Amino acid sequence: MALAPDTKGGAQAGQNIDAPELRLFVMALFFIFGGITSLNDVIIPKLKELFTLNYTQAMLVQFCFFTAYALIGLPGAALVKRIGYMRGAVAGLLTMMVGCLLFIPASKSATYAIFLAALFVLASGVVVVQVVTNPLISLLGPAKTAHSRLTFAQAFNSLGTVIFPLVGAPIILGKLKDVKVEDLTGPALDAYRMAETQHVVNTYTALAAALALVAAVVWFNRNRLKGEKHEQTSLAAGFALLSQKRFGLGALCIFLYVGAEVSIGSLIVNYLKQPGVLGLTDAGAGAYIPYYWAGALVGRFLGSALLRVVSPGKVLTFNAIGAIVLILISTNTHGALAAYSLLLIGLMNSIMFPTIFSLACEGLGTKAADGSGIINIAIFGGAVVPLATGAIADGMGSLALSLALPAICYAVIAYFGWFARHPAAEEG
């Protein structure tokens, strides 16, 4: 769906609007939910250490977070269609705030399951905000530059994924004491977990305050899109979009891309800690997380220009093949080369989500909100693929071998890029 001013000063479905100030608003939302999502990469090694988890158990952080996309995607789209983009953004921001505040009882109880529940609530808010941002940024300008505009907006998402871990990693990971958790039991263990998770609580309490402020600003601008209209459809109609080969394959690739990206990001700390790689401490390895996301940041700014002159599908195929090559280099070398080739996958990831999204949704018209809801469900790949990757790492006893699964995901994405290299209107 798209919006444009009508003769009465409102907005009609099926066209676009020119509102530069709303672009800034949308980019700010990309920054926020990108940063919050990337903090999972910092929390995972922290909770893995405190609760003596294996890789599969630790990946439940991502499973609970990204399961929200499967459960909230379509209801979130329905909510946005009912109350509008701006009010939908407020609802999402407030839900995120509640999720952040739930870290307080999670810490006081020193219970892993409550941390997982808090992450699910936080992610539910992120889903609603993302249902708003992805189609809205596509509407705020000419249709022919939608690929470039969405990629540019995603660069602010990447900026958040760089800054949040850069600030959060020293706070969350840098305080682990020289204590072997497995040597503690009973009240001593609970007290240690409560003390150490307090650093997590402080971080997310500050985020809750910031989210409340942003929600207030958005609420004061809730009537900015006058006459906003959405096509009312059933959930079945939304799923019917999957019967379109281009959209269905694109949704699958969103599932696989998010799963691959999250799997690699979640394993960075433990991967770099290996003696055969860099042999770092938790805090030392955590300092490298921003480099992974910085690659995506740089690539999205460059990609937003490149996609104006090169077929988005061809760029997507090139980057997916590049990611596979980097995985092969990392898993077959040692030391700095193994470390930096893994981190460089972030650069290959840069244009993937916005390009897959816009290629898949080409031609949906007034069904854009439904398409965005389905795409958000597909982000559930961030729950499934990391959990499977963790299980492979536990079963095979090797983080390097577990990266074969993300490599397979990138292979499918490379095929979709080639399949969708021509505009939807030219297919057939």
Side-chain angles (χ1 to χ4, degrees):
M1 140 180 173
L3 302 171
D6 63 15
T7 56
K8 297 179 180 178
Q12 297 292 345
Q15 298 174 317
N16 298 86
I17 59 172
D18 183 20
E21 73 281 7
L22 286 186
R23 293 182 191 178
L24 295 175
F25 149 72
V26 175
M27 289 172 187
L29 293 182
F30 271 105
F31 174 82
I32 292 169
F33 73 71
I36 287 177
T37 302
S38 69
L39 279 181
N40 291 349
D41 297 340
V42 179
I43 292 175
I44 285 173
K46 177 79 168 186
L47 298 182
K48 184 177 185 297
E49 170 76 16
L50 292 178
F51 292 96
T52 58
L53 309 171
N54 60 28
Y55 287 112
T56 307
Q57 292 168 331
M59 286 298 190
L60 287 174
V61 167
Q62 302 290 23
F63 182 82
C64 289
F65 191 92
F66 285 95
T67 292
Y69 283 89
L71 300 180
I72 307 298
L74 284 181
L79 175 67
V80 170
K81 286 195 293 184
R82 180 168 182 170
I83 65 177
Y85 283 127
M86 303 301 280
R87 288 173 175 80
V90 172
L93 289 165
L94 292 178
T95 304
M96 290 165 65
M97 182 188 73
V98 171
C100 288
L101 294 176
L102 285 176
F103 278 85
I104 298 174
S107 175
K108 291 188 179 299
S109 66
T111 303
Y112 185 47
I114 300 180
F115 276 103
L116 297 179
L119 284 163
F120 176 81
V121 175
L122 174 59
S124 297
V126 171
V127 172
V128 176
V129 171
Q130 200 159 342
V131 167
V132 170
T133 54
N134 286 327
L136 186 54
I137 194 64
S138 296
L139 307 178
L140 298 177
K144 65 180 180 180
T145 58
H147 297 291
S148 173
R149 195 163 54 254
L150 184 55
T151 300
F152 185 77
Q154 285 277 343
F156 286 85
N157 179 278
S158 295
L159 183 62
T161 63
V162 172
I163 292 178
F164 278 54
L166 195 64
V167 175
I171 298 173
I172 295 174
L173 292 177
K175 302 296 184 178
L176 281 174
K177 301 174 183 177
D178 295 327
V179 176
K180 292 185 177 180
V181 181
E182 56 269 23
D183 294 337
L184 300 176
T185 58
L189 177 59
D190 290 339
Y192 177 70
R193 286 172 173 169
M194 288 175 62
E196 288 300 316
T197 54
Q198 188 59 43
H199 304 299
V200 179
V201 171
N202 293 341
T203 302
Y204 281 85
T205 300
L207 283 175
L211 289 168
L213 179 61
V214 175
V217 173
V218 178
W219 178 253
F220 283 116
N221 290 278
R222 62 190 181 277
N223 295 319
R224 177 63 183 82
L225 293 176
K226 299 291 185 182
E228 178 183 348
K229 294 180 181 179
H230 298 268
E231 181 178 336
Q232 298 301 319
T233 56
S234 64
L235 294 182
F239 279 110
L241 294 174
L242 294 172
S243 64
Q244 301 178 24
K245 184 175 181 180
R246 187 185 184 97
F247 181 80
L249 186 56
L252 172 63
C253 285
I254 289 289
F255 179 95
L256 297 175
Y257 160 70
V258 176
E261 180 191 50
V262 171
S263 295
I264 294 170
S266 300
L267 293 176
I268 286 175
V269 170
N270 289 293
Y271 193 88
L272 299 186
K273 284 171 58 181
Q274 296 177 110
V277 185
L278 296 182
L280 299 172
T281 62
D282 278 333
Y288 281 82
I289 292 176
Y291 290 103
Y292 177 66
W293 297 108
L297 171 63
V298 172
R300 281 172 175 168
F301 279 119
L302 295 175
S304 66
L306 181 64
L307 290 170
R308 290 176 178 266
V309 295
V310 180
S311 164
K314 292 179 181 178
V315 176
L316 179 62
T317 296
F318 176 85
N319 279 34
I321 293 174
I324 296 171
V325 171
L326 288 171
I327 288 175
L328 290 173
I329 293 173
S330 181
T331 55
N332 288 281
T333 57
H334 303 282
L337 180 58
Y340 286 107
S341 55
L342 184 78
L343 295 172
L344 271 174
I345 295 172
L347 180 63
M348 297 296 103
N349 286 338
S350 59
I351 56 88
M352 288 192 189
F353 184 93
T355 303
I356 295 170
F357 178 90
S358 54
L359 286 173
C361 293
E362 275 187 11
L364 292 187
T366 56
K367 294 185 174 65
D370 292 308
S372 182
I374 295 294
I375 291 293
N376 274 278
I377 291 178
I379 294 174
F380 179 57
V384 177
V385 178
L387 194 65
T389 303
I392 294 171
D394 288 328
M396 304 286 290
S398 170
L399 286 179
L401 290 177
S402 71
L403 292 178
L405 184 55
I408 293 171
C409 295
Y410 288 123
V412 178
I413 294 168
Y415 167 74
F416 173 69
W418 190 251
F419 170 81
R421 66 190 184 278
H422 298 301
E426 297 179 11
E427 289 180 0

